[in-house]
Amino acid sequence: MKNIGEFKKSSNGLLVPYQDVVFQALFGNKGSENILGGFLSTILGEKVYNISLDANQNLTREAPEDKLGIVDLRANVGEQTTVHIEVQMTDPHNMFKRLLWYWSRIYGKQLKNTENYSRLRKTIAILIVNYDIKQLRWFKDSHTVWKLLEKRNLDIKPFEDIEIHIIELPKIQQYQNATEKGLNTWLEFLLNPESEEVKMSKEKDKNLNEAYEKLEYISENEELRRRADLRLMAVLDENSKRERDEKFKKEMEERKRKIEEREK
């Protein structure tokens, strides 16, 4: 897997779509409904129609540490489903709890005062990460789907409103057949839009081809490039800080162990 610093631009000067600010510009703006629909169809395993992009896509940052992990895109699919996608470039603390928090916040904010619970829409959270998740290290699947089920009666599904998809990008390069064929091509596009697989597939997939052409267009935007550079710098700084903190923690633990040994 490439180092995170190599993903700012592809070999042809294209911005790399998995970077969160680029992802949002590519999939999250008005006019991107077909592109997003093609991508979501491969994730959800069904044709997605009638996408409406929410104009207020970013959740308010509640704390400074949230700067590297905000909801990047939110969309309504038809009249019954809301989807929100988060792209994570660095491993945050308590990822699963924060993912549930984001899901619950979006789900709960659908209702206004005095409105009936029946107005709540199914809410699907999709998390895309460019690192291996420790708790999922035994899975060879890049794409996992999580639902709330009764452990003895899996066919009874009263809580269908909650659905969470987790996509680990490194696994598509670590394992063969790590995910569905159509989705694999889109994930390759996120990581390496200039790959031979993407070039061949976009000739047959009009939504992927539209995404590629839009990526070419937005890659010429100097302001977006500036923002992408700033985001990359923030991620690298965060990774460096985390490495220093982990090193310091190990040194303190080792020092404590030696002191305890001398005192025995």
Side-chain angles (χ1 to χ4, degrees):
M1 175 55 86
K2 296 181 180 179
N3 182 280
I4 191 170
E6 297 180 70
F7 283 116
K8 183 173 64 173
K9 301 173 186 175
S10 70
S11 60
N12 198 34
L14 296 180
L15 292 168
V16 178
Y18 98 86
Q19 194 173 357
D20 52 8
V21 294
V22 181
F23 185 93
Q24 191 172 54
L26 183 62
F27 291 94
N29 293 330
K30 296 291 184 181
S32 298
E33 288 81 2
N34 290 338
I35 296 173
L36 180 60
F39 184 43
L40 286 179
S41 293
T42 63
I43 295 176
L44 303 180
E46 60 184 76
K47 190 66 177 177
V48 173
Y49 300 96
N50 301 325
I51 290 180
S52 173
L53 288 165
D54 191 328
N56 184 23
Q57 293 150 12
N58 291 337
L59 292 182
T60 302
R61 296 171 181 172
E62 298 297 329
E65 60 267 22
D66 283 343
K67 65 183 182 298
L68 295 176
I70 58 175
V71 170
D72 300 291
L73 186 154
R74 191 185 311 166
N76 293 328
V77 179
E79 298 181 356
Q80 301 297 324
T81 305
T82 293
V83 175
H84 72 94
I85 303 175
E86 180 180 353
V87 179
Q88 277 288 353
M89 299 171 65
T90 187
D91 188 0
H93 298 295
N94 300 314
M95 184 195 70
F96 293 110
K97 291 184 181 296
R98 57 185 281 131
L99 182 57
L100 283 173
W101 181 80
Y102 280 133
W103 178 91
S104 66
R105 192 174 180 200
I106 291 174
Y107 189 70
K109 280 195 169 184
Q110 296 178 48
L111 283 187
K112 298 178 181 178
N113 290 339
T114 73
E115 286 187 329
N116 192 284
Y117 289 122
S118 62
R119 294 181 60 86
L120 288 168
R121 302 158 58 98
K122 178 177 182 176
T123 300
I124 300 174
I126 300 173
L127 174 66
I128 302 173
V129 301
N130 193 39
Y131 54 85
D132 293 314
I133 298 174
K134 181 172 64 175
Q135 295 92 327
L136 305 183
R137 62 187 180 277
W138 305 115
F139 288 88
K140 292 185 177 181
D141 299 300
S142 173
H143 175 212
T144 54
V145 184
W146 306 83
K147 300 182 179 182
L148 191 60
L149 300 171
E150 205 287 318
K151 65 179 182 180
R152 291 180 295 270
N153 300 281
L154 301 181
D155 293 331
I156 301 175
K157 303 174 182 178
F159 300 106
E160 286 190 308
D161 277 6
I162 182 170
E163 183 173 313
I164 295 175
H165 295 246
I166 298 177
I167 296 173
E168 298 170 272
L169 294 176
K171 288 183 177 178
I172 69 170
Q173 298 178 342
Q174 294 170 0
Y175 306 108
Q176 289 187 342
N177 304 316
T179 190
E180 303 88 336
K181 185 176 180 180
L183 177 57
N184 188 83
T185 303
W186 277 94
L187 300 184
E188 179 68 22
F189 170 72
L190 295 186
L191 283 172
N192 183 12
E194 289 296 294
S195 71
E196 287 301 317
E197 179 182 350
V198 172
K199 289 179 180 179
M200 293 177 61
S201 298
K202 72 184 181 69
E203 301 303 323
K204 303 174 184 178
D205 185 334
K206 63 179 183 181
N207 293 322
L208 182 61
N209 187 62
E210 184 178 341
Y212 185 89
E213 290 179 350
K214 183 172 182 180
L215 180 63
E216 288 184 309
Y217 177 76
I218 65 176
S219 292
E220 299 297 323
N221 186 309
E222 291 302 322
E223 174 61 19
L224 182 59
R225 283 188 176 276
R226 185 188 70 82
R227 289 171 55 205
D229 286 341
L230 290 175
R231 290 290 293 114
L232 183 61
M233 289 173 60
V235 170
L236 294 176
D237 288 346
E238 176 69 14
N239 287 344
S240 296
K241 180 179 181 299
R242 185 166 298 169
E243 289 176 3
R244 292 195 301 270
D245 290 346
E246 290 176 354
K247 182 179 179 181
F248 179 76
K249 182 180 178 181
K250 289 180 181 179
E251 290 175 351
M252 291 300 99
E253 289 175 349
E254 179 64 16
R255 183 177 301 180
K256 180 181 178 182
R257 184 187 64 80
K258 290 181 178 179
I259 292 174
E260 290 175 347
E261 286 181 350
R262 287 198 299 266
E263 292 177 347
K264 285 182 180 179

